[in-house]
Structure formats: structure tokens, C-alpha cells
Amino acid sequence: KVKQLEHRTHYHFQPQKHWINADPNGPMYYNGIYHLFYQYNPYGAVWGNIIWGHSVSMDLINWKALQPAIKPTKPYDRHGCWSGSATILPGNKPVILYTGVVDENKTQVQNYVLPKNINDPYLEEWIKPDDNPLLVAEPGVNRTAFRDPTTAWMGRDGHWRILIGSRRKHTGIAYLYKSKDFIKWVKAKHPLHSKDRTGNWECPDFFPVAREGKKGLDNSMIEEQNVKFVLKVSLDTTRYDYYTVGKYFPEIDRYIPDNTSVDGWKGLRYDYGNFYASKSFFDASKNRRILWGWSNESDTKMDDVEKGWAGIQTIPRRIWLHPNGKQLLAWPIEEVESLRGHKVQLRNENMKKGDVVEIKGITAAQADVEVVFSFPSLDKAEPLHPSLDHLDAHELCSRKGSSVHGGLGPFGLLTLASGKLEEYTPVFVRVFKAKNKHKILLCSDASSSSLKKGLYKPSFAGFLDVDLAKKKLSLRSLIDHSVVESFGAGGEVCITSRVYPALAVSDNAHLYAFNNGSETVAIETLDAWSIKGPKFMN
Ligand code: FRU
């Protein structure tokens, strides 16, 4: 029992027990209610027997669990009801497309379900019409890598379009299918996009974003002026979500990434940590696009079985295009702020090299922290040794951890820390002088997070592309027992870490700010809140 509870999250979405690979399935806002479906094993805390769990919410924070929405019952989904998406058709009619697994070889087809009673506010029951499956892999298409249909969008010609993730040998593919009536689907001559040597594309997501401002767009708003497009794919070789920003040419149904974006594992990521199989949806009630993602456990399978649960959803994030047009920004939805309880703050506190400042008075295991650091100059930024210049952020972070002294940084937060710092998950910045620019590393380092052995404790990191002229850097972390979700520079780089401290649990967890660089750094503003648990009604 204790084991089950000590690392369980309190304000992140997770079912009462058993496995989820969140693959947020069919998220949507419909008639005043948010729906979240998820890949769920009703029999245990490991992957298998996959059905669609279903929960509803008025605010994306408090949830009510309903009966499963889709279960294997038919020859076309007998071996699993895998990921898919919702589309709201004209006349306000929701429809869900999902992947059915038909045999032991994992042959995949696409099916649809409709609400049994459109007047049920929760849309609790879903029916499988008789004309399923809608889509089977034709010759030449890899039928065991043919899955995860997207939300549909409508083209100028009045035809619906969806993507299905796939691969041919090592080439990742987003197949495009078109339909006039949503029932009869025809594969387009060319995929919307593909890329060699990227492996299978799981859970594709394709949507327009406004060039300016934070307003989200419906998937079918492809004709808007001043839009760009985002294509995201989940690469199962690395287990990360990558996206490109680019142009969509509706006349030829092709997508071409901008030259500032690259496909594959060197590309942009929604999150540089534990975050996979994500999906976004357009929230018409607040005109925003919201991103959900799955954060898997980093402990062992045995731990999961003992805990009785595995997998959480990250806090939903609003996403929009960065003013530089090259990447997205992401920020926790404002509703999470309704959970803020007791608040403490610091103003203009200097931290010299080696200083550690405790942030007292809040529940450090369940908190929201926003901080702005400032520094007098960039002069002390340490030169990046040429032998380290080629390293990716993750490797650089594992070599230059929070306790390795530097010039400008490392400075940041020590989250989920034990009282004597036997354990801590540092979230920190380190500025390097490289060739003719600065490299700014944001790191969320689980390597010191737990005294326990056998855990996966990666040093996750990303590079921030901010202008340091103002000599400030901001950071926000959402801390929830076994998860730390961090947002650098207003959401330019997001990193989610899963950690399992032995000592820094519940009331024994502490929160600190620290500086291990020779340049003095000021905590210009720091606001931290205890976070209350929302209602999860089962
Ligand atoms: C991604 C994924 C999907 C698939 C589902 C099965 O995590 O592998 O591609 O539909 O999970 O649970």
C-alpha cells in the first residue's frame, strides 16, 4: 500500500490503477465537456489487453471516470483497440477513428465508432457500425505498421483528409487518405510526408498554427491567412515526439518542413524528457490548441506491478507558434493555477557560488514554482571546450551536472530534494561561450534523484535559443511526487522527468534554489505555491 502511494501523482491525470500508455486518444471539447480517452490495460500495470479508457472534465483538471469507451469485441479489433482521434463533423457530430488489431501478427486496420446517444452529455457509450473496418492496408503498405489515425481536416474540395502513421523499411511515412463521406476512404497517390531513416511514425499529428498570437486553430482552418503547419510524429526507436514547422500545399496535398526544421531524431521536440505519443486538439471554448502527452514510468516493471499502476498524462499544455516562427511554445493550461494554494515568495535574493536557498512553507512534493533569475553580465560564461561542442544537450548535461562548478551557472532549482541533499532532481541552466554565440543548456537531471538502484535516471536536457541581452532567464516547474515538468524561457524548452526518491517523499521533500557558478546570480522573483489535489472521481 505504502509503495503504491508514495510516488503516485496527485494532480496529474492517471486512472485509479493499472497501466496506461496515455496515447491521449481522441481528446476533444464537445458541448461544454472535455473528453480524454487513453490506452488502458484493465488487468494490470504492464502493457497489454488494450482498450480505450474514458474520463470527462469541465476544466481539464477535475475528472470523472466513465466506463471504457471501446473494447475488443469484433473480428476487426479482437487483439486490441489502439490509438486514434476524434473529429467533430458538421452538424456537431463527433466520430472517433481508431486502430483495431485483428490477429496475433498485429495486423492493423482503421475503424470508427459513434456515440450511441448524442444527447448523453458524457457520450458514455459508443457503437461500432457494421461497415467497419473502414480502412485496411492495401498491397505495398506495411500492415503491421499502419496505425493511429489523426483528426480529420477538410480540404477546399469538401473532402476529408486523415493521416495514418507507417513505415516502409526504415522510411517513416504519414499516409494521406481522403473521403467525401467519412466512410469510404481512398489513399492519396503520395503520402503527405515521409522521411528516410526515421523508422516507424507512430501517432502522427498535423495542424495549423497562427503565425502571430496564441490563438489556436481548428484542424480544418487550413485556408486562414498567415498560418503555418506543424507535423509531429512519435519515433519508437528513441521514444520521443518530434515535430517540424512547415508549409502545407492543399492543391497537391503535400507538406514541406521549413528549412529551419529537420525531420527525425535531430529535430525539435515538444519535450526533451519523458513525453511520448502526444496529441493535440482544438479547444473551441477558449480558442486554443491543447497538447496532451504520456509520461511513462522510469522505474522497473516489477516496481510498476508492485505499485499497481503505470503511466501518467502530463498537465495539458497550450501550444502556439513562437514569434520567431521556427518552433512552438508550450505552457501549462491556466486552469492548473486554480489548484494553487498557499504561496511563498522571494525577491531580489543574491546567490553566490555554492549558495543553496531553501524555499520553505509550501508542500515541496506537490508544488508549482515560477522563478526569474538575473545576472550582471555574460562575461563569466565558461568556454565550451571544442571536444564538447558536438555533444547533444543530453550528453552535455550528463558531463556537466549541477554539482560541476561553472562560470554563469549551473543555477536553478533542486526539486524533490531530501533534507541533507542525499537526493535531488536539479532543474538548471548553464551558459557556455561557444564559437561566436552562447549556448544555453537547460537540464533536468534525474541522475541524483534517488538512492534506489535499478531506476532509469537520465540527464534530460535541451538548448534554449533565447536572447540573453536582458540578462534574465525564467523557469517554471510543476512538481508532483514522481514527476517534475519544467518550462524554460516561457516554454521554449520543456522537460519532463519521472523520479522515485527514497527519502524525499511527501513531507520529507524539500525545494531549494542554488548557484554553482562563479558569477553571482539573483533570484529576481520567485513565486511558489502548494498545489491542491483536484477531484478524480471513479
Ligand atoms: C504508441 C503506440 C501506438 C499504438 C498504441 C498501442 O505508444 O504504440 O502506435 O496505437 O501505442 O497501445
Side-chain angles (χ1 to χ4, degrees), residues 195-474:
K195 183 70 190 176
D196 56 356
R197 281 178 291 160
T198 53
N200 192 29
W201 286 5
E202 295 192 312
C203 303
D205 195 13
F206 181 61
F207 53 88
V209 284
R211 267 178 200 261
E212 275 173 33
K214 293 170 75 170
K215 239 180 89 186
L217 300 172
D218 187 284
N219 293 52
S220 286
M221 292 163 91
I222 59 169
E223 301 288 349
E224 292 275 298
Q225 296 296 306
N226 289 323
V227 294
K228 287 203 174 235
F229 284 80
V230 171
L231 176 64
K232 182 280 296 188
V233 297
S234 304
L235 297 187
D236 58 4
T237 42
T238 57
R239 309 294 292 172
Y240 298 126
D241 280 10
Y242 300 85
Y243 71 93
T244 51
V245 178
K247 279 202 191 67
Y248 171 47
F249 300 91
E251 323 73 54
I252 51 166
D253 271 318
R254 293 280 195 129
Y255 166 78
I256 300 180
D258 290 347
N259 60 9
T260 48
S261 264
V262 297
D263 285 301
W265 52 272
K266 285 205 165 154
L268 293 164
R269 286 170 44 190
Y270 281 157
D271 189 299
Y272 290 80
N274 185 335
F275 184 93
Y276 191 65
S278 64
K279 189 182 307 293
S280 69
F281 74 102
F282 174 64
D283 173 6
S285 76
K286 294 197 173 176
N287 280 317
R288 57 186 174 171
R289 183 161 286 273
I290 292 179
L291 176 70
W292 280 103
W294 163 45
S295 197
N296 195 8
E297 302 307 303
S298 301
D299 55 0
T300 65
K301 253 190 196 170
M302 252 163 59
D303 288 321
D304 292 346
V305 171
E306 213 176 318
K307 286 179 345 218
W309 57 270
I312 62 164
Q313 296 277 8
T314 52
I315 297 297
R317 300 172 184 175
R318 180 176 192 153
I319 51 173
W320 67 98
L321 192 65
H322 191 298
N324 72 13
K326 293 192 276 188
Q327 67 157 101
L328 295 176
L329 290 171
W331 198 246
I333 51 160
E334 61 193 10
E335 285 87 339
V336 76
E337 292 162 31
S338 69
L339 298 174
R340 286 174 171 176
H342 185 64
K343 176 182 171 181
V344 297
Q345 64 176 51
L346 296 176
R347 293 290 180 267
N348 302 317
E349 185 135 346
N350 278 333
M351 292 191 294
K352 294 196 293 297
K353 182 175 170 181
D355 281 355
V356 177
V357 178
E358 178 155 16
I359 294 87
K360 286 195 186 137
I362 55 158
T363 53
Q366 206 175 305
D368 182 356
V369 197
E370 286 197 66
V371 54
V372 177
F373 296 102
S374 61
F375 31 88
S377 96
L378 296 167
D379 293 349
K380 291 189 183 157
E382 64 198 288
L384 186 60
H385 194 270
S387 67
L388 302 180
D389 199 28
H390 67 284
L391 294 183
D392 66 20
H394 188 124
E395 285 171 287
L396 197 53
C397 173
S398 63
R399 306 247 190 124
K400 297 268 185 173
S402 63
S403 58
V404 179
H405 288 184
L408 181 50
F411 60 82
L413 301 170
L414 304 177
T415 70
L416 294 172
S418 60
K420 294 196 181 118
L421 294 181
E422 300 93 332
E423 296 180 327
Y424 53 96
T425 300
V427 183
F428 64 94
V429 171
R430 184 171 202 125
V431 182
F432 294 96
K433 238 181 262 162
K435 286 181 200 137
N436 35 28
K437 56 169 194 170
H438 288 94
K439 260 194 171 174
I440 313 160
L441 185 70
L442 180 70
C443 211
S444 176
D445 187 2
S447 63
S448 49
S449 61
S450 179
L451 296 175
K452 288 188 190 161
K453 303 242 153 56
L455 305 172
Y456 174 50
K457 300 181 203 170
S459 305
F460 287 134
F463 289 114
L464 287 163
D465 186 20
V466 286
D467 179 8
L468 289 177
K470 289 200 176 128
K471 305 193 186 76
K472 278 184 213 275
L473 275 168
S474 71

Side-chain angles (χ1 to χ4, degrees), residues 80-238:
C81 299
W82 287 12
S83 291
S85 307
T87 303
I88 298 173
L89 301 179
N92 205 22
K93 293 189 188 124
V95 51
I96 284 173
L97 295 174
Y98 71 99
T99 298
V101 181
V102 305
D103 57 25
E104 268 159 21
N105 300 329
K106 299 213 165 85
T107 300
Q108 294 148 30
V109 300
Q110 319 311 322
N111 308 316
Y112 77 118
V113 290
L114 298 171
K116 185 167 177 192
N117 173 10
I118 197 81
N119 297 316
D120 166 13
Y122 292 160
L123 303 178
E124 192 153 8
E125 287 181 77
W126 293 76
I127 51 165
K128 298 177 185 169
D130 287 338
D131 42 4
N132 274 310
L134 289 184
L135 256 161
V136 298
E138 49 226 79
V141 171
N142 184 334
R143 63 175 86 170
T144 58
F146 181 61
R147 58 178 179 268
D148 308 339
T150 60
T151 295
W153 74 96
M154 189 182 270
R156 249 178 234 163
D157 53 6
H159 288 225
W160 291 103
R161 285 151 169 82
I162 55 167
L163 302 180
I164 297 177
S166 188
R167 73 179 165 89
R168 178 175 290 150
K169 301 223 167 91
H170 300 295
T171 297
I173 302 177
Y175 283 122
L176 178 73
Y177 282 79
K178 296 198 228 178
S179 172
K180 209 170 163 51
D181 58 4
F182 225 84
I183 303 293
K184 190 171 174 294
W185 292 89
V186 178
K187 182 157 144 283
K189 247 209 214 124
H190 306 283
L192 182 85
H193 191 52
S194 65
K195 183 70 190 176
D196 56 356
R197 281 178 291 160
T198 53
N200 192 29
W201 286 5
E202 295 192 312
C203 303
D205 195 13
F206 181 61
F207 53 88
V209 284
R211 267 178 200 261
E212 275 173 33
K214 293 170 75 170
K215 239 180 89 186
L217 300 172
D218 187 284
N219 293 52
S220 286
M221 292 163 91
I222 59 169
E223 301 288 349
E224 292 275 298
Q225 296 296 306
N226 289 323
V227 294
K228 287 203 174 235
F229 284 80
V230 171
L231 176 64
K232 182 280 296 188
V233 297
S234 304
L235 297 187
D236 58 4
T237 42
T238 57

